[in-house]
Amino acid sequence: MLAVSVRRGVENKILFSAKDLCTWFELRRWGFFRVGSVKAVDGVSFELRRGETITIVGESGCGKSTLAKTILGLCLPARGELNFDGKRLNGLNTRQMRSHRSKIGYIQQDPYGALPPFMTVRRILEEPLRINKTGKKEEMKRRVREVLAEVKLTPVEDFIDKFPHMLSGGQQQRVVIARSIVMKPRLIVADEPISMLDASVRIEILELIRGLQHAHNLGVIYITHDLSTVRHFSEHIAVMYGAKFAEKAKVKDILDNPLHPYTRALLSAVPKLDPANVTTFKEVPPGEPPSLLKPPSGCRFHPRCYAIIKGLCDVESPLEFEAKKGHSVACWLYRK
Amino acid sequence: MKILIDAIRQLARYPSAIAGLIIIGTLIGMSFYAVITIPYSEAIKLWQGRDGVWNEIPRNAEPKWVNLFPGINLPETFILNSEDIVSKSLQPLGGGIKKIEKRMEFDFGYDCFPQEMSLFFDATYDERPPHVFLTWLTPDGREINLAERRADAPYRISLDRDLAREIGGLAPEVGLFADPFAEEIVPLQGRYGLQITGWLFEEDSSLDVRLVVFGQVHGIAGTDHMRRDLMVALLWGAPIALTFGFLAAVGVTASTFIIAAIGVWFGRWVDAVIRWITQVNIILPVLPILIIVGTFYSRSIWVMLGVIIALSIFSAGIFVYRAMFLQIKGMPYIEAAKAYGASNFRIIFQYMLPKLVPVLIPAFVMTIPAMVFLEASLAVLGLGDPLLPTWGKVLKDAWVNGALLMGHYYWVLLPSALLMMTGLGFAMVGYALDRIFNPRLRES
Ligand SMILES: Nc1ncnc2c1ncn2[C@@H]1O[C@H](COP(=O)(O)OP(=O)(O)OP(=O)(O)O)[C@@H](O)[C@H]1O
Ligand code: SF4
Ligand SMILES: [Mg+2]
């Protein structure tokens, strides 16, 4: 369906890395007293090279969006290290943080909500340019037309002066994508970019993102519920469970040979040959998703796990073991 | 900006809004007229009424237009001066003393008596003022001696008790014009005269007189107990009320908006503190605080303006705006704007404000008359600005002087009509704007 990266074999340089990243939301009473914290991202590490995609899957509420926001600098990490483009992002001041943010594109889930309803497409696309003071007026105008053409909203005249509500969902999402690349970023964070779109336009949008990725050698962090598209869209995948990565590897390795009991339970319900049917986590595995306010002791999956090692799993949190080269699993079954 | 222009264009579809705009336009026109024809310092001076600026204006006179009603024929003020002199003679008596005789005549054709009479002297002298002897001539040929006096101070004929006694106990302005043969006390119409015999004791001395027969009507608006033409206050009340209302509304709306925005934006303890202050502030009664400030500190309209704005920074409106801000703050496009580096300031004013304009604008327009009324109420309570002529102060004077008991309805009617028109005008425009910006209200 989609071409695999043309740059295969060339070892691209590391674009983005996170080490032991934690994002906690403090719950306060009357705005003053801490009464606990929601650990929405709790010790996540991964690397991403230029031109590559990492897909993050996980059930609702496991912290995927929070991870995306932390990468974008919209949430401040409580702990951990972020590196982007060879630069450490921790401890940047507000201004540096702003210019950092503008170098990462952001594609949101709800295209209509992502566009200010009172701005025209032109204004929406000019905003990042104006805010970051890139070039003169003429250049900005040219750039706006350029990105509209890139997301195939052509002829440009038909779209440039429209308000968001005058566009279809697919067109709105194209505007969102255009906005995400208008600053010529190297990394794009796409948080469930197709889950609110009509089934008929989902593939187009994914192909568009993939096409832009190849054209500009972008790193993409793709967050989804929907496993059916992952195999063709992405090189790497990380399965998130209760604010942590349960398993992380090449897409093929995980889909063909899942190791973590959670991933296994997830995929076992689906005929192996047809990953297109793997669309939801609703029924598997049975049990409640873990509370992030008071997570279960030890392995967060242990209340639902069929392979639980009593006395270990419910006491000690598993480390990330490298089961195979490039395939890490956070499960005591793979301890060495 | 565009949204405002669109709104104004849409207003044309609402007849009530057009009426409201006409009222507001008239008030603005009135304001300009007032400020241009009566400069500020002049207005203040007139309203303080010092230096006898109103000497020749009748007290508590009704507006002239009452004479348009059938059966009403109230006298107007008329002033006799050197032009009305019909005969004049100057006779040197030797030793620098001169005797002058002047006679002025006028026609009186009203069914009512004048309100008051005064004679003003315009005499030049070094030490000894001229001496005059005054005689009143009636149409039926009677001669009444008014007084013999020095021409150094105005002669308030109406206040002359001796004269009153002499003409049968009637007030002089009545007795001098009354028909002696009529059953009832009615004025005798015809040609009256005033004979002035004067002695000048100095070489360069001169004497001129002006007889003012105060009518019962004056100007378009009538006058008050201090002879002040109410028109001054009615005209000048407009720019003051509009300026006050506008500034207060801007201050209140903007400060409420900004505080709500700050609270929602920074959240945490900032928001908690703002909510706490607001809750306390809401139960603080505004009027008593204003009365305290007015009594112990200053009654200046600008001090009051400041206090009103300060008190309403943390008003109940905060909660309304807060709720809306919270909703907008959660919109993904705000998150997106942060992601591409928009500053807090830009997000609040360019991304959140446009969503609030539909609520903000009608609320702002409706706040204007509320503030105008508040200012008027303060004035009625005796906390009006000490210098400025305002509608509220006219009402207060009317109330203190028992205007309605005395039948001076115009004194109350005109300022209250202006206040009500102001409220009506802004309310009509405000409701129309509300419908335009929040079309869902239209169905219900
Ligand atoms: N601002 C916040 N304050 C407190 N808790 C939050 C905040 N944002 C998210 N959370 C909590 O963090 C957890 C993770 O939320 P997140 O939105 O990252 O989940 P998600 O994986 O993206 O879910 P979904 O698939 O439904 O989008 C949730 O339990 C959520 O309630
Ligand atoms: S660590 Fe233990 S409880 Fe957790 S997934 Fe592995 S086996 Fe199951
Ligand atoms: Mg999410």
Side-chain angles (χ1 to χ4, degrees):
Chain A
M1 184 163 65
L2 287 161
V4 189
S5 171
V6 283
R7 284 158 218 266
R8 185 195 303 181
V10 183
E11 194 66 342
N12 265 318
K13 136 172 146 204
I14 289 180
L15 175 66
F16 181 87
S17 73
K19 215 178 273 166
D20 192 28
L21 194 64
C22 297
T23 306
W24 299 341
F25 297 111
E26 284 175 357
L27 296 183
R28 285 163 191 271
R29 179 154 299 154
W30 302 317
F32 293 100
F33 309 109
R34 267 178 60 177
V35 290
S37 51
V38 176
K39 299 185 175 177
V41 175
D42 201 15
V44 164
S45 308
F46 68 97
E47 288 179 349
L48 182 68
R49 291 171 191 277
R50 289 206 71 174
E52 288 185 347
T53 302
I54 183 168
T55 299
I56 296 166
V57 293
E59 55 193 347
S60 185
C62 72
K64 305 182 297 292
S65 297
T66 308
L67 176 60
K69 285 174 195 171
T70 312
I71 293 165
L72 285 157
L74 297 173
C75 295
L76 278 185
R79 211 173 66 204
E81 203 176 294
L82 286 167
N83 290 288
F84 174 59
D85 226 7
K87 212 199 249 152
R88 222 187 116 141
L89 297 182
N90 306 65
L92 292 185
N93 65 29
T94 320
R95 240 188 53 235
Q96 291 166 320
M97 192 55 119
R98 263 191 215 140
S99 82
H100 154 66
R101 283 176 191 169
S102 69
K103 288 193 191 110
I104 303 180
Y106 185 24
I107 304 173
Q108 287 150 290
Q109 183 172 10
D110 166 16
Y112 183 63
L115 300 171
F118 42 83
M119 290 189 188
T120 58
V121 169
R122 181 201 305 275
R123 178 82 199 276
I124 288 169
L125 297 179
E126 273 179 6
E127 277 289 296
L129 298 170
R130 286 197 204 177
I131 288 166
N132 295 286
K133 306 202 173 58
T134 41
K136 300 196 192 70
K137 243 188 162 148
E138 294 310 309
E139 274 171 62
M140 290 198 316
K141 281 189 179 161
R142 219 195 48 237
R143 180 73 188 138
V144 167
R145 295 171 159 271
E146 212 171 86
V147 289
L148 276 176
E150 268 196 83
V151 298
K152 305 197 175 59
L153 287 175
T154 45
V156 169
E157 260 62 41
D158 289 357
F159 298 97
I160 196 160
D161 288 316
K162 291 237 161 84
F163 285 93
H165 69 267
M166 303 168 171
L167 304 174
S168 73
Q171 290 167 339
Q172 287 167 354
Q173 196 61 306
R174 281 168 194 271
V175 175
V176 173
I177 293 169
R179 181 175 66 186
S180 76
I181 58 164
V182 75
M183 290 295 296
K184 300 187 176 159
R186 306 221 173 136
L187 175 64
I188 285 192
V189 177
D191 188 354
E192 309 197 34
I194 54 169
S195 66
M196 289 191 51
L197 298 180
D198 209 76
S200 59
V201 296
R202 288 182 173 176
I203 296 297
E204 284 171 28
I205 295 291
L206 281 184
E207 275 179 26
L208 175 66
I209 297 176
R210 194 69 169 164
L212 290 170
Q213 175 178 33
H214 289 155
H216 302 295
N217 200 23
L218 301 172
V220 174
I221 295 171
Y222 173 54
I223 292 169
T224 185
H225 267 116
D226 178 0
L227 275 173
S228 65
T229 51
V230 170
R231 195 185 281 268
H232 307 283
F233 187 71
S234 170
E235 287 80 34
H236 304 277
I237 183 165
V239 179
M240 203 169 174
Y241 184 80
K244 288 177 181 293
F245 280 178
E247 190 169 6
K248 184 177 67 191
K250 293 237 163 68
V251 168
K252 207 165 137 308
D253 290 345
I254 286 198
L255 293 185
D256 296 346
N257 184 23
L259 297 179
H260 195 282
Y262 173 62
T263 323
R264 280 195 177 161
L266 212 77
L267 294 174
S268 66
V270 191
K272 226 190 183 149
L273 290 174
D274 190 7
N277 283 356
V278 187
T279 51
T280 165
F281 296 107
K282 253 179 253 157
E283 286 133 52
V284 286
E288 292 275 305
S291 150
L292 297 183
L293 189 58
K294 285 196 190 89
S297 62
C299 174
R300 293 187 177 181
F301 187 56
H302 86 256
R304 293 162 87 180
C305 184
Y306 57 80
I308 177 168
I309 310 167
K310 283 259 155 66
L312 178 62
C313 295
D314 48 356
V315 182
E316 284 289 329
S317 202
L319 308 171
E320 282 196 8
F321 300 105
E322 187 140 31
K324 283 195 263 165
K325 187 171 170 6
H327 191 154
S328 65
V329 193
C331 172
W332 285 122
L333 293 177
Y334 301 92
R335 67 188 186 276
K336 287 176 180 153
Chain B
M1 220 47 240
K2 199 170 157 291
I3 190 166
L4 290 183
I5 294 164
D6 279 353
I8 290 168
R9 205 166 293 150
Q10 283 194 55
L11 274 181
R13 289 196 279 126
Y14 293 88
S16 66
I18 294 176
L21 283 175
I22 290 173
I23 293 175
I24 296 173
T26 312
L27 288 168
I28 292 174
M30 232 172 105
S31 307
F32 276 107
Y33 178 78
V35 175
I36 290 165
T37 53
I38 315 171
Y40 176 78
S41 53
E42 178 85 3
I44 301 279
K45 218 171 82 195
L46 285 174
W47 202 245
Q48 284 185 316
R50 299 235 183 88
D51 308 330
V53 281
W54 300 111
N55 260 347
E56 298 177 9
I57 307 293
R59 214 183 276 278
N60 289 330
E62 295 189 24
K64 272 186 185 167
W65 43 258
V66 296
N67 278 337
L68 294 176
F69 293 108
I72 298 180
N73 182 20
L74 296 174
E76 293 184 13
T77 300
F78 51 89
I79 298 171
L80 301 180
N81 51 29
S82 42
E83 277 165 29
D84 303 284
I85 289 171
V86 289
S87 73
K88 182 175 169 181
S89 71
L90 186 77
Q91 186 186 350
L93 296 177
I97 300 175
K98 284 168 279 184
K99 180 182 178 193
I100 59 169
E101 287 195 42
K102 292 184 181 184
R103 184 168 161 163
M104 27 179 66
E105 289 183 359
F106 64 95
D107 287 310
F108 185 83
Y110 295 101
D111 305 325
C112 274
F113 293 101
Q115 195 198 45
E116 211 183 331
M117 292 167 73
S118 287
L119 193 64
F120 296 94
F121 300 104
D122 194 2
T124 52
Y125 57 89
D126 284 329
E127 273 163 21
R128 285 197 67 187
H131 199 83
V132 291
F133 184 78
L134 304 160
T135 312
W136 186 249
L137 311 170
T138 61
D140 53 346
R142 287 173 295 137
E143 291 190 6
I144 302 168
N145 289 339
L146 292 180
E148 191 185 338
R149 55 182 286 134
R150 282 192 297 181
D152 55 353
Y155 172 38
R156 307 267 175 206
I157 301 173
S158 307
L159 300 181
D160 189 340
R161 297 254 179 87
D162 296 335
L163 176 63
R165 213 175 297 124
E166 207 168 294
I167 56 181
L170 291 173
E173 67 273 14
V174 176
L176 294 179
F177 286 96
D179 185 346
F181 303 110
E183 305 257 304
E184 290 164 47
I185 301 171
V186 290
L188 178 66
Q189 296 179 348
R191 198 162 176 80
Y192 286 84
L194 178 66
Q195 174 77 35
I196 302 139
T197 311
W199 288 270
L200 307 179
F201 304 109
E202 291 170 6
E203 200 57 62
D204 301 320
S205 210
S206 71
L207 178 67
D208 227 337
V209 294
R210 263 183 359 272
L211 173 68
V212 181
V213 181
F214 295 97
Q216 307 262 22
V217 293
H218 181 85
I220 300 174
T223 65
D224 67 5
H225 62 303
M226 287 168 70
R227 305 174 186 276
R228 295 178 297 198
D229 188 341
L230 289 175
M231 202 60 190
V232 173
L234 296 186
L235 277 177
W236 256 90
I240 295 168
L242 292 187
T243 312
F244 182 89
F246 183 80
L247 290 180
V250 167
V252 168
T253 317
S255 58
T256 312
F257 170 82
I258 289 168
I259 295 288
I262 288 173
V264 169
W265 193 250
F266 294 101
R268 303 260 221 112
W269 63 269
V270 181
D271 195 30
V273 168
I274 288 174
R275 266 155 54 201
W276 185 78
I277 297 179
T278 308
Q279 264 151 2
V280 172
N281 193 52
I282 285 173
I283 42 172
L284 288 183
V286 174
L287 205 53
I289 292 180
L290 290 174
I291 292 173
I292 291 169
V293 171
T295 314
F296 294 108
Y297 180 59
S298 163
R299 290 194 289 135
S300 157
I301 198 167
W302 307 120
V303 170
M304 291 294 170
L305 180 68
V307 175
I308 289 170
I309 292 177
L311 286 177
S312 54
I313 289 175
F314 292 100
S315 64
I318 295 257
F319 290 117
V320 180
Y321 294 142
R322 237 188 118 255
M324 303 188 63
F325 267 134
L326 277 175
Q327 194 214 338
I328 300 168
K329 191 194 175 190
M331 297 296 290
Y333 68 80
I334 301 289
E335 199 115 64
K338 280 198 255 179
Y340 53 69
S343 62
N344 290 344
F345 189 83
R346 191 181 187 95
I347 289 180
I348 291 175
F349 286 93
Q350 306 238 4
Y351 287 75
M352 294 171 90
L353 183 59
K355 285 284 273 182
L356 272 173
V357 161
V359 186
L360 226 47
I361 297 279
F364 168 74
V365 172
M366 309 278 241
T367 309
I368 296 177
M371 291 298 161
V372 171
F373 289 151
L374 181 56
E375 188 267 323
S377 323
L378 285 175
V380 170
L381 290 176
L383 297 168
D385 187 275
L387 293 179
L388 296 173
T390 64
W391 297 335
K393 274 169 72 183
V394 173
L395 283 174
K396 143 101 173 162
D397 289 340
W399 176 57
V400 168
N401 292 287
L404 289 177
L405 289 178
M406 313 272 286
H408 303 316
Y409 57 90
Y410 60 93
W411 201 353
V412 177
L413 185 72
L414 292 174
S416 11
L418 282 169
L419 277 169
M420 284 193 294
M421 291 306 273
T422 309
L424 197 65
F426 282 101
M428 288 197 289
V429 173
Y431 281 126
L433 283 172
D434 200 22
R435 284 171 155 222
I436 290 167
F437 283 125
N438 305 297
R440 244 166 296 158
L441 288 177
R442 229 175 284 173
E443 275 101 64
S444 56

